[in-house]
């Protein structure tokens, strides 16, 4: 299977990378790399893809993505409020960034356990994200030893906090080394279609990928770990979730706004992916 393989360069006098990704939207294609990646969303909202997990993200979202786990953050350009609305603070590092044996010492056992879990992608609750936000800012502003100490302090705090595995497959299963932009074109087509209230079909999307439907179906499942229709429905459900939280629209209105053709199928798909009804989901955010 193929993903865009990102090359990460630390630069002189640096053992790990810090990036402020700022723009009209977050520019994050579907890709893999051998480094761990910590992503803190400073601004914007959208849909996040980590392995076979698809969820919404919001400001304050914090995730740690292990080596070779395919991931992609997507903002709908129509939601953008300014040229700097999409803002992610990113830290990328290899496990040996502070020496080959550091994470094998007993004091680092919890951090090493967190690294193992991150092979499936993990995210953290809002309380943890709020605690680490100033630490991340400090790391970005630091140089020399304090920069390194800051990252170790950040990892220690995260490892002692609750976190949740995201993907049912790990980076060990997902590794790929070929640079291939095809999947990014496919995802862009799917998102653009849904943003314009058009549900893409398998045949239409296969045509965009220059593949026959059978070959495309196999390729899509190998790459995203989901069948095409489940992927599209899960993105639609994510769109519905945002409206259930942010608007006062009825469930029926949201059903059609998110791309479903009838209420019974919408309720069935929502229950499948969220393990609750749309009404229960809305009530969980507005008790």
């Amino acid at each position: 299977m193929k993903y865009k393989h990102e090359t990460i360069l630390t630069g002189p006098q640096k053992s790990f990378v810090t990036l402020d990704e700022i723009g009209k939207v977050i520019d994050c294609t579907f890709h893999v790399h051998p480094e761990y990646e910590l992503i803190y969303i400073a601004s914007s909202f959208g849909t996040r893809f980590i392995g076979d997990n698809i969820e919404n993200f919001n400001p304050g979202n914090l995730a740690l993505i292990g080596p070779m786990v395919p991931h992609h953050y997507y903002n709908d350009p129509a939601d953008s409020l300014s040229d700097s609305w999409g803002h992610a603070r990113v830290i990328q590092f290899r496990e040996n960034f502070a020496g080959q044996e550091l994470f094998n010492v007993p004091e680092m056992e919890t951090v090493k356990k967190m690294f193992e879990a991150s092979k499936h992608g993990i995210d953290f609750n809002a309380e943890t994200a709020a605690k680490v936000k100033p630490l991340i800012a400090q790391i970005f502003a630091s140089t020399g030893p304090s920069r390194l100490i800051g990252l170790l302090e950040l990892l220690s705090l995260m490892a002692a906090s609750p976190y949740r595995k995201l993907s049912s497959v790990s980076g060990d299963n997902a590794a790929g080394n070929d640079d291939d932009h095809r999947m990014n074109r496919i995802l862009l087509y799917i998102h653009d279609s849904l943003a314009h209230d058009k549900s893409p079909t398998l045949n239409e999307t296969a045509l965009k990928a220059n593949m026959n439907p059978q070959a495309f179906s196999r390729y899509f499942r190998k790459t995203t770990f989901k069948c095409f229709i489940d992927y599209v429905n899960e993105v639609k459900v994510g769109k519905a979730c945002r409206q259930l939280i942010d608007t006062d629209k009825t469930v029926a209105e949201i059903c059609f706004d998110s791309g479903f053709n009838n209420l019974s199928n919408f309720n069935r798909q929502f229950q499948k992916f969220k393990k609750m009804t749309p009404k229960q989901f809305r009530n969980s955010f507005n008790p």
Side-chain angles (χ1 to χ4, degrees):
M1 62 192 74
K2 300 180 180 181
Y3 310 98
K4 183 180 186 296
H5 192 290
E6 184 175 273
T7 301
I8 295 172
L9 302 175
T10 58
Q13 308 302 316
K14 294 181 179 179
S15 58
F16 60 92
V17 174
T18 53
L19 297 168
D20 260 323
E21 297 282 359
I22 303 174
K24 185 178 177 67
V25 295
I26 295 173
D27 183 17
C28 176
T29 59
F30 195 65
H31 67 286
V32 297
H33 44 70
E35 290 78 11
Y36 293 86
E37 180 166 289
L38 185 150
I39 303 179
Y40 176 83
I41 302 299
S43 173
S44 82
F45 58 81
T47 307
R48 179 187 71 186
F49 307 82
I50 298 178
D52 65 357
N53 175 267
I54 304 175
E55 291 185 358
N56 293 332
F57 69 85
N58 294 290
N61 177 255
L62 177 69
L64 179 63
I65 303 167
M68 304 310 292
V69 177
H71 55 284
H72 169 50
Y73 280 64
Y74 175 81
N75 297 130
D76 186 339
D79 292 324
S80 183
L81 300 176
S82 71
D83 289 339
S84 59
W85 177 73
H87 183 189
R89 309 208 85 175
V90 179
I91 301 176
Q92 297 165 326
F93 58 92
R94 299 219 175 183
E95 191 166 340
N96 63 355
F97 77 92
Q100 195 67 43
E101 296 300 320
L102 176 64
F103 294 104
N104 290 326
V105 301
E107 290 83 356
M108 288 295 180
E109 184 178 353
T110 57
V111 176
K112 190 160 186 175
K113 182 180 177 182
M114 179 179 70
F115 284 169
E116 187 65 27
S118 76
K119 291 181 180 179
H120 296 264
I122 55 178
D123 75 352
F124 299 81
N125 61 30
E127 182 182 354
T128 301
K131 286 180 181 178
V132 306
K133 181 181 178 181
L135 271 176
I136 292 172
Q138 181 182 327
I139 292 166
F140 273 68
S142 297
T143 58
S146 61
R147 184 172 182 268
L148 184 63
I149 293 167
L151 180 54
L152 292 174
E153 184 181 354
L154 172 63
L155 294 174
S156 177
L157 191 158
M158 292 169 61
S161 304
Y163 50 80
R164 175 176 63 103
K165 283 187 182 181
L166 299 172
S167 176
S168 65
V169 294
S170 73
D172 295 334
N173 305 122
N177 294 311
D178 297 314
D179 187 11
D180 184 5
H181 299 285
R182 176 183 285 164
M183 182 51 65
N184 288 311
R185 293 198 307 270
I186 291 167
L187 294 178
L188 184 61
Y189 173 72
I190 293 171
H191 290 302
D192 284 350
S193 296
L194 292 172
H196 290 89
D197 300 322
K198 183 178 182 297
S199 186
T201 67
L202 175 66
N203 287 349
E204 290 168 344
T205 312
L207 187 63
K208 290 288 181 181
N210 296 316
M211 301 173 75
N212 67 56
Q214 293 76 21
F216 172 74
S217 183
R218 290 193 298 270
Y219 167 75
F220 194 89
R221 185 185 286 272
K222 277 186 176 181
T223 307
T224 66
F225 312 104
K226 294 179 182 288
C227 71
F228 176 80
I229 189 62
D230 278 352
Y231 183 94
V232 171
N233 283 334
E234 196 164 357
V235 174
K236 289 180 184 178
V237 166
K239 185 177 179 181
C241 287
R242 183 163 302 284
Q243 294 192 60
L244 287 165
I245 297 169
D246 296 340
T247 76
D248 294 324
K249 291 180 180 180
T250 67
V251 171
E253 288 174 318
I254 291 171
C255 160
F256 295 106
D257 283 352
S258 55
F260 289 94
N261 294 323
N262 64 76
L263 193 56
S264 61
N265 185 41
F266 171 61
N267 286 327
R268 185 167 58 251
Q269 295 299 329
F270 200 99
Q271 183 88 36
K272 174 181 178 179
F273 293 115
K274 296 300 178 183
K275 311 304 180 190
M276 65 180 76
T277 67
K279 185 176 180 180
Q280 288 170 333
F281 181 87
R282 171 173 269 170
N283 289 341
S284 71
F285 284 87
N286 300 286

